Amino acid sequence: MTTALTKSLGILTKPIREAQLSNGQSPQTALVSALQRNLSELRERMSGDEELEEARHLLEEVRRDITWFCSDTNDLTWSFVQECLLLLLCLARHFNRLLEAFHQIPAVPNPATPEAAPPLPPDVLSVAQQKTLGTVLQFVVTLGLCPYLAPGVGVALGLRSAFGAAVEGAVRHDVAPAGERRLLITTNVLLEVSALSSLATPVFTRHLGDIMAALCQLAYRPQRPEGDGTKGNKGLTVEERKTCKEALHSLLGKVYQPIVIKELLVLQGGPKQACSGSRGGCAGGGGKALAQAPPWLRRLCGQLLSDRLIQPQGVQAVVRAILEGTGAGGDSDWRKCDAVAKILAACPQQSLSAESYYSQVCPQVLELLHFKDKLTAQQFQRVATRAALIMVQDRPEFAQRFLLFPLLSPLRRCAQGTGDDLSQDTVEEWELTRCIEDVYKICVVGNNPSEVLLKALADVISTLFNLFCFTKQNVSHLRTSCQEILIWCLSHSERSVALLLLKRLCGLLGEVGGVRHGFQFSPGSEGGARLTVRELISDEDDALYEKVSGEQWRVQCLVELLGEVKDSDLPGEFFLLLLQDLTAVAAEQDEVEQEVDTSSMTLLELEQHLLGRAGGHGQGLALLQALAIMCEGLPHTLLLSKPTQVVGFIASMLQRACVSLEHGTDSPVESQTLSMGMGLVATLLSGAAELTADDYSSMAALLPHLEQISQQHQETVIQELASDLRATIATHGAYHPKTVPKTASQHSTTTHSPAQPAGHSSNSLPARAQVPSQSISHPKHKTDPSVTPKVKDFQTAGRIPNPGISESSRSKAFSECLLEACDPDVPTRAVALRSLTRCVRDGDKEALQNKEKLLTLFLENLEHEDSFVYLSAIQGLAVLADSFPEQILQRLLGEYQTGATVCPPKRERSLETRLKVGEVLMRACRAMGDLAPHYGRPLIGVFLSGTRDEDSSVRASSLSNLGELCQRLNFSLGPLAQELSTCLTALIKTDREAEVRRAAVHVIALVLRGLSDKTTQVLGDVLLELYRALKWVVRSDPDDVAVLHAQLALEELDDVMRRFIFPQQKLEKKIVVLP
């Protein structure tokens, strides 16, 4: 039966495919004649062919059951469509009967072949049958559906193909049945046929849009008050229109939603255009634009699209419908994403209320950010990001409730509990990860800051910062995202808000918060973080230590975060704000200590007063801690990146000095602050950089402080200098007294080294005040006075000698450095030692002539207790040894070997000083380079002797120096290999101190690393002995560090032997020239 029906359908459509136009025959006439021959042949075959007997009986049965068949129509195209519809109904009825029988008798599996596929259902069509069915459906839609659509409803036939234009001319609308009735019949039959899954696929995959257009017209087209004059045209009944509405909504609910949305967008039609009127009005002109849809259809499609949008997964369906198949990248892709985002962000007119619309759409917008497919995720992320930003900008009240609140909910839950059950308050890893990723995509990738978005982020910035600090302690993929979000929020917030947030994160405004009490972040199983219950710490000291270390770690993380801020003045402004707060805190504490009288207080008032003072001290300590970490962790080029910030820094120092003058306190710190501030001002005004009118205007903030210093300071010299500086600034450099350049020149002669700690500064008068060496530069004369000075003119290091300085000035400077090297003031002495070291390194004539004095001076300063002084002396001795190795090394070897002074008066050196001399020798060994074989023989003897010293520290120091020297001796080590091996082996096996054994093993590793491929030639006789010593350490030594050193040494030896046994193959071709 299936074959007979498909054969009948093939007979019905075969002549159309083979018909040929006669000469002078129009396409409409040829089409009608072909349809006529088609119908005649089918009737003949049905009546005379035995193969089609069953199909004929079924056809008659179906014809008896239907009521819409019209046998007396004068339109041949409709007669052809009726026959096609009858055959389709016959095929559908036949398939239904086959499926009922198939389901009633279950298939019996074959036990011989259990892996065989199950039998196919009887409604499966072959490829040829599917092709025939598709052809019939195409003719049914073309002849029985599309010609009866109203203008603007669906895509006109004339816009599809030339055959479509021929069909429009062949169809007769003036005969019964009416066009509306024909449309209803065709649509109902297609829907009835599509009830079978095997027939629904060819119907809906190619003709869904036409069926939807027909249902929209039948169900929602406004009824005309009068007929169109055609006999029998009575329109549709209310029941028929209701049935069409139900069928339309059922169809829209069953089909894949992106396809439905595509078809609805097509049904909406194109924009208003010049070529309007008939459905094929634009076809002749070659245009393919859609005709404008009627108003009722546009409203209907808008309503249906809105219904699709607010359904579950509706937003995803809309995005897929518009963006599927567009690829990635390109200008058109970005425009489509932006257009879709605007559609999602705008509340449609058909929606019941804006609140209900955004409450349903916003969660779906956030879901678009969570796709894993690379291409889909990229497109969906663009749409979701743009839609979210547009909502935040245009509808902030709804975006705050339905978008930002769910987006930041995991971070809020970290700071606020939801109940008494602690187990329910935990936040899982996937929640925090998704939250951070979504915020990163919307804020950082979208990069469209708004007040609402920044305020929402500011509410959870404490939690976000706590999470960032946690990721800095572990390996986490959230670290970069958290850092970028924090930087984005701070950079785009208003400067006052950003500074307030920074103070809050530093703990300067009270408790940082962010994570509620009793909880903490813990590592997640997938590299993220999760919020878990904190274990209680019973020991109060441990709890206090954890609190203090946590606060310090947060400040360090904040400073590192500021270091990542690019092209922003925020770090410098925050630094100046902290300096101003420091001055205010100092003034408040002085006032409290002087004015408060506790004798008349009650116990409650006294307790509150003491708590307030304790809190104030805590805030002061937090402020000092933040300033110290900023000075240590951030470069000066970031803290003071603009001239105005340099001036602000100077103003803060002078303000502190003024506060000290007002309260009558004169501490060394305040004197150093005043000296540095006035020295900086003098250096700037003396030509350290070319100052413009704007620079002088910014320096006007210094005038009140300088005036106060000139009137209240006790020292007459400082009063005069402050007055001169004030006059120079006020006149913009027109008045330039001699005290200003003199102070600046004396300032530059004693510049600090970059390694000097922040707490070391001079306690002398401004004439000898010292400035950080990276803050001031020498004058740079420019030919163009209109060029604006850059900040680096204030900050470049002043180390280049000025060619204009005379020999007498240099001699004077050297003499002053010698005197200052004996100064009891630690910073002055250290800076002088470093200046003398620089003179030796630069080859200063006077310094080289006084090398003995310098040697004695450096040796004496080795005994100083301050690290800045003795490290400067060590550096100076190393430079001297590099310049005069024969003389200096002999003196140092004597000091190191005997532990006493070589020159009279002889006295014993302390163990610490002896170790410092060893440090000098080690630096000298590193600096020898290729000259190590020449100068190294005396050093080896001393170091080997030092390995037998009674003190374990000296033995370890000797071994360390021996390793540094031996790895540079190369082949010169050969004669000493046996002695070296014996010494190291004995120390490894017999010394009781672990640090000595570690040093001995480390010497072997350094020697192997230095000799590399020459190891087998230099140490061939002792290599086995060294190998056995290392293996003994690995097996028997109780010290883990020594074992680790031995393993590293064995790895070095293994690499050497592998290269020796398996040398690298070189593809070389030797060419020998025969005589």
Side-chain angles (χ1 to χ4, degrees):
M1 178 68 77
T2 303
T3 305
L5 290 174
T6 54
K7 186 176 181 181
S8 301
L9 292 173
I11 294 171
L12 193 61
T13 57
K14 179 178 179 181
I16 297 178
R17 296 196 297 269
E18 297 178 353
Q20 297 180 356
L21 292 176
S22 303
N23 293 332
Q25 193 176 19
S26 65
Q28 292 83 358
T29 305
L31 176 61
V32 172
S33 61
L35 296 178
Q36 180 65 44
R37 290 194 302 270
N38 181 352
L39 290 172
S40 301
E41 183 178 358
L42 178 62
R43 288 165 185 164
E44 292 176 1
R45 297 287 297 272
M46 279 285 186
S47 59
D49 196 341
E50 295 181 357
E51 296 180 359
L52 303 180
E53 183 70 21
E54 294 182 2
R56 182 172 60 82
H57 291 302
L58 183 59
L59 184 62
E60 291 176 356
E61 178 185 345
V62 172
R63 186 181 286 116
R64 288 192 302 268
D65 293 341
I66 63 174
T67 59
W68 48 262
F69 187 79
C70 182
S71 58
D72 58 346
T73 180
N74 295 325
D75 187 1
L76 189 61
T77 58
W78 180 244
S79 298
F80 178 81
V81 170
Q82 287 186 120
E83 292 296 332
C84 293
L85 294 176
L86 287 174
L87 289 175
L88 289 175
L89 289 175
C90 291
L91 184 63
R93 183 170 296 187
H94 173 63
F95 279 165
N96 281 326
R97 293 173 180 175
L98 292 178
L99 288 174
E100 289 178 2
F102 178 77
H103 293 307
Q104 289 177 358
I105 304 176
V108 179
N110 188 358
T113 57
E115 71 278 0
L120 290 174
D123 61 341
V124 175
L125 299 174
S126 65
V127 176
Q129 291 172 344
Q130 291 180 7
K131 185 177 181 182
T132 302
L133 179 61
T135 304
V136 172
L137 291 174
Q138 184 176 0
F139 275 104
V140 169
V141 172
T142 304
L143 296 174
L145 193 148
C146 291
Y148 308 110
L149 294 176
V153 179
V155 181
L157 287 175
L159 297 178
R160 303 187 187 187
S161 63
F163 176 73
V167 170
E168 286 185 331
V171 174
R172 295 182 60 183
H173 297 273
D174 55 346
V175 296
E180 200 83 2
R181 182 62 54 183
R182 297 182 186 184
L183 183 63
L184 176 63
I185 293 171
T186 305
T187 304
N188 287 335
V189 172
L190 290 176
L191 291 176
E192 183 178 352
V193 169
S194 64
L196 286 172
S197 59
S198 58
L199 300 180
T201 301
V203 172
F204 290 145
T205 53
R206 301 189 63 181
H207 307 291
L208 176 64
D210 295 323
I211 297 176
M212 289 173 56
L215 289 174
C216 290
Q217 178 173 324
L218 293 171
Y220 292 96
R221 184 186 181 188
Q223 290 284 6
R224 289 169 295 183
E226 297 179 357
D228 57 359
T230 303
K231 182 180 179 180
N233 185 9
K234 300 179 181 180
L236 301 180
T237 63
V238 176
E239 189 65 27
E240 289 173 337
R241 292 171 64 88
K242 181 180 179 182
T243 304
C244 291
K245 290 181 182 180
E246 295 175 353
L248 175 63
H249 289 287
S250 175
L251 178 64
L252 295 181
K254 291 189 298 184
V255 182
Y256 182 54
Q257 291 302 299
I259 298 179
V260 171
I261 293 171
K262 282 184 180 179
E263 298 297 340
L264 288 175
L265 292 174
V266 173
L267 284 178
Q268 274 192 319
K272 293 183 179 181
Q273 49 191 357
C275 48
S276 60
S278 65
R279 292 188 298 271
C282 295
K288 297 297 181 182
L290 293 176
Q292 183 183 4
W296 66 267
L297 183 58
R298 291 199 302 271
R299 290 193 298 270
L300 174 62
C301 291
Q303 179 65 48
L304 294 176
L305 285 172
S306 299
D307 294 341
R308 302 300 103 193
L309 184 60
I310 62 177
Q311 285 183 351
Q313 307 298 325
V315 172
Q316 182 186 147
V318 172
V319 177
R320 287 187 183 276
I322 299 177
L323 297 182
E324 259 184 355
T326 59
D331 185 49
S332 61
D333 192 16
W334 280 101
R335 291 183 178 180
K336 283 186 177 181
C337 292
D338 191 64
V340 177
K342 291 180 180 178
I343 292 174
L344 298 178
C347 178
Q349 297 178 354
Q350 296 83 0
S351 180
L352 297 177
S353 66
E355 182 176 359
S356 64
Y357 172 77
Y358 286 107
S359 65
Q360 297 177 14
V361 170
C362 287
Q364 298 187 49
V365 170
L366 293 179
E367 286 297 325
L368 295 180
L369 298 169
H370 306 149
F371 283 85
K372 301 301 182 183
D373 180 68
K374 186 175 182 182
L375 178 59
T376 305
Q378 184 179 10
Q379 293 178 335
F380 282 18
Q381 176 182 324
R382 293 175 184 171
V383 174
T385 301
R386 286 293 302 146
L389 293 175
I390 294 173
M391 289 180 185
V392 169
Q393 186 173 1
D394 296 344
R395 307 301 294 266
E397 65 280 4
F398 296 118
Q400 180 72 28
R401 293 170 54 191
F402 304 119
L403 186 72
L404 296 180
F405 187 83
L407 175 67
L408 302 173
S409 177
L411 294 177
R412 283 196 175 90
R413 286 167 51 199
C414 293
Q416 302 171 1
T418 58
D420 298 332
D421 189 2
L422 296 181
S423 61
Q424 296 180 357
D425 290 342
T426 59
V427 182
E428 297 299 329
E429 178 184 6
W430 67 269
E431 295 180 87
L432 280 175
T433 301
R434 174 175 289 187
C435 175
I436 297 301
E437 290 177 351
D438 292 349
V439 173
Y440 178 81
K441 292 172 185 177
I442 293 176
C443 297
V444 181
V445 179
N447 195 23
N448 187 12
S450 62
E451 183 179 354
V452 176
L453 187 58
L454 292 172
K455 184 178 182 300
L457 274 181
D459 293 339
V460 297
I461 196 170
S462 298
T463 305
L464 187 62
F465 180 69
N466 273 279
L467 180 59
F468 170 70
C469 296
F470 170 76
T471 59
K472 294 283 287 183
Q473 296 175 335
N474 305 276
V475 179
S476 175
H477 60 83
L478 298 178
R479 181 188 306 170
T480 303
S481 299
C482 292
Q483 175 177 303
E484 294 295 330
I485 295 171
L486 289 170
I487 292 176
W488 183 87
C489 180
L490 294 174
S491 301
H492 291 88
S493 299
E494 294 184 5
R495 192 48 48 89
S496 58
V497 177
L499 294 175
L500 191 64
L501 290 176
L502 288 175
K503 291 183 67 175
R504 195 167 100 196
L505 297 180
C506 273
L508 301 180
L509 300 180
E511 188 68 26
V512 177
V515 179
R516 59 183 180 273
H517 181 70
F519 288 81
Q520 66 178 0
F521 288 114
S522 301
S525 59
E526 298 182 359
R530 59 194 183 98
L531 188 72
T532 58
V533 180
R534 182 194 298 271
E535 296 182 1
L536 296 178
I537 301 177
S538 57
D539 192 349
E540 295 183 358
D541 294 338
D542 293 343
L544 179 60
Y545 172 77
E546 184 175 355
K547 179 182 178 182
V548 174
S549 60
E551 294 175 353
Q552 184 176 2
W553 174 247
R554 281 196 296 269
V555 177
Q556 290 178 356
C557 293
L558 182 63
V559 171
E560 293 180 10
L561 184 69
L562 290 175
E564 297 296 330
V565 178
K566 306 299 181 184
D567 302 327
S568 176
D569 301 332
L570 184 61
E573 295 188 9
F574 183 59
F575 179 66
L576 295 179
L577 178 63
L578 294 184
L579 289 178
Q580 296 174 3
D581 292 346
L582 180 63
T583 303
V585 168
E588 291 176 0
Q589 289 181 352
D590 291 340
E591 292 177 358
V592 169
E593 292 177 359
Q594 293 177 3
E595 298 178 2
V596 175
D597 183 14
T598 59
S599 59
S600 59
M601 291 184 180
T602 62
L603 290 177
L604 179 60
E605 293 174 348
L606 181 59
E607 181 181 4
Q608 293 176 350
H609 171 68
L610 294 178
L611 289 176
R613 288 188 59 183
H617 289 308
Q619 294 298 318
L621 291 175
L623 179 61
L624 289 174
Q625 177 179 258
L627 279 171
I629 295 177
M630 285 191 72
C631 293
E632 182 180 357
L634 295 179
H636 67 279
T637 54
L638 192 61
L639 290 177
L640 304 175
S641 58
K642 294 171 61 178
T644 54
Q645 292 178 343
V646 177
V647 174
F649 174 68
I650 298 173
S652 64
M653 290 191 294
L654 296 181
Q655 184 180 4
R656 287 190 61 193
C658 292
V659 171
S660 176
L661 292 176
E662 291 176 357
H663 294 85
T665 58
D666 187 15
S667 64
V669 176
E670 305 303 334
S671 301
Q672 295 164 11
T673 301
L674 179 59
S675 300
M676 181 178 291
M678 298 185 69
L680 281 171
V681 177
T683 307
L684 291 177
L685 295 177
S686 63
E690 184 178 353
L691 299 177
T692 62
D694 294 336
D695 297 330
Y696 279 111
S697 299
S698 63
M699 294 175 71
L702 307 177
L703 296 179
H705 306 306
L706 291 174
E707 182 178 5
Q708 184 177 358
I709 293 172
S710 64
Q711 295 176 357
Q712 298 182 2
H713 202 277
Q714 300 176 356
E715 299 289 340
T716 306
V717 177
I718 294 180
Q719 291 181 358
E720 294 178 356
L721 178 59
S723 178
D724 293 340
L725 292 175
R726 181 175 177 276
T728 305
I729 295 173
T731 59
H732 287 202
Y735 173 71
H736 204 270
K738 296 181 180 180
T739 56
V740 175
K742 180 179 179 182
T743 303
S745 62
Q746 293 177 348
H747 228 276
S748 301
T749 58
T750 56
T751 55
H752 282 187
S753 169
Q756 180 174 354
H760 290 177
S761 57
S762 176
N763 190 21
S764 56
L765 292 177
R768 291 180 56 192
Q770 300 169 2
V771 189
S773 61
Q774 295 183 351
S775 300
I776 308 298
S777 67
H778 290 286
K780 295 185 179 179
H781 303 285
K782 300 183 180 180
T783 56
D784 186 4
S786 63
V787 178
T788 303
K790 298 181 179 180
V791 179
K792 64 180 181 181
D793 295 336
F794 294 93
Q795 298 172 339
T796 52
R799 297 182 180 179
I800 303 175
N802 193 332
I805 299 177
S806 61
E807 291 294 330
S808 60
S809 299
R810 290 183 179 178
S811 176
K812 182 179 179 181
F814 181 78
S815 301
E816 290 180 355
C817 288
L818 284 178
L819 293 176
E820 290 177 351
C822 303
D823 196 296
D825 184 55
V826 171
T828 304
R829 174 180 291 198
V831 170
L833 291 175
R834 297 210 170 227
S835 300
L836 294 173
T837 302
R838 189 162 49 250
C839 291
V840 176
R841 185 187 297 114
D842 296 341
D844 185 79
K845 183 178 179 181
E846 189 172 0
L848 299 180
Q849 292 175 355
N850 295 275
K851 60 179 180 294
E852 293 295 335
K853 293 183 180 180
L854 293 178
L855 176 61
T856 304
L857 183 63
F858 288 142
L859 286 173
E860 292 299 324
N861 279 282
L862 283 180
E863 300 182 357
H864 200 280
E865 60 182 6
D866 192 277
S867 61
F868 192 44
V869 174
Y870 69 72
L871 286 176
S872 301
I874 289 174
Q875 184 180 1
L877 288 172
V879 173
L880 272 178
D882 186 42
S883 302
F884 308 99
E886 295 181 353
Q887 305 172 23
I888 304 301
L889 286 179
Q890 192 66 30
R891 175 81 174 271
L892 293 176
L893 287 175
E895 297 268 354
Y896 183 72
Q897 187 174 16
T898 61
T901 58
V902 177
C903 298
K906 291 190 176 184
R907 56 187 177 86
E908 291 293 329
R909 297 280 192 187
S910 63
L911 175 61
E912 184 179 358
T913 305
R914 190 176 179 186
L915 295 177
K916 294 173 184 177
V917 175
E919 173 72 15
V920 175
L921 291 174
M922 184 182 69
R923 296 191 182 191
C925 293
R926 290 177 180 174
M928 285 181 184
D930 295 337
L931 294 177
H934 178 69
Y935 295 110
R937 294 299 294 269
L939 295 176
I940 289 183
V942 174
F943 294 154
L944 288 175
S945 300
T947 59
R948 299 195 303 269
D949 195 272
E950 296 179 356
D951 193 280
S952 60
S953 300
V954 177
R955 296 200 300 272
S957 174
S958 300
L959 288 171
S960 178
N961 296 338
L962 187 64
E964 290 290 340
L965 179 61
C966 288
Q967 69 174 337
R968 291 170 174 81
L969 291 180
N970 295 328
F971 288 102
S972 301
L973 186 61
L976 304 172
Q978 190 65 48
E979 186 177 358
L980 179 66
S981 174
T982 304
C983 175
L984 296 178
T985 305
L987 289 174
I988 287 173
K989 295 183 178 180
T990 62
D991 202 297
R992 297 181 179 180
E993 297 295 333
E995 62 178 3
V996 178
R997 299 197 303 274
R998 297 174 190 173
V1001 176
H1002 188 56
V1003 170
I1004 299 177
L1006 290 178
V1007 171
L1008 294 175
R1009 190 177 305 149
L1011 293 177
S1012 187
D1013 294 338
K1014 300 185 286 290
T1015 301
T1016 54
Q1017 303 176 46
V1018 179
L1019 301 178
D1021 297 336
V1022 299
L1023 202 56
L1024 179 59
E1025 185 179 352
L1026 294 177
Y1027 171 75
R1028 289 174 175 171
L1030 294 176
K1031 294 295 288 184
W1032 185 89
V1033 173
V1034 173
R1035 290 193 303 264
S1036 305
D1037 199 296
D1039 184 59
D1040 294 336
V1041 179
V1043 173
L1044 177 61
H1045 283 311
Q1047 290 173 345
L1048 295 176
L1050 287 173
E1051 290 179 4
E1052 293 285 346
L1053 183 58
D1054 181 69
D1055 293 340
V1056 170
M1057 298 311 297
R1058 285 180 182 274
R1059 291 194 298 269
F1060 176 73
I1061 299 174
F1062 307 105
Q1064 184 179 2
Q1065 298 295 327
K1066 297 182 180 179
L1067 299 178
E1068 296 179 348
K1069 184 176 181 181
K1070 296 183 179 180
I1071 300 176
V1072 180
V1073 180
L1074 298 176

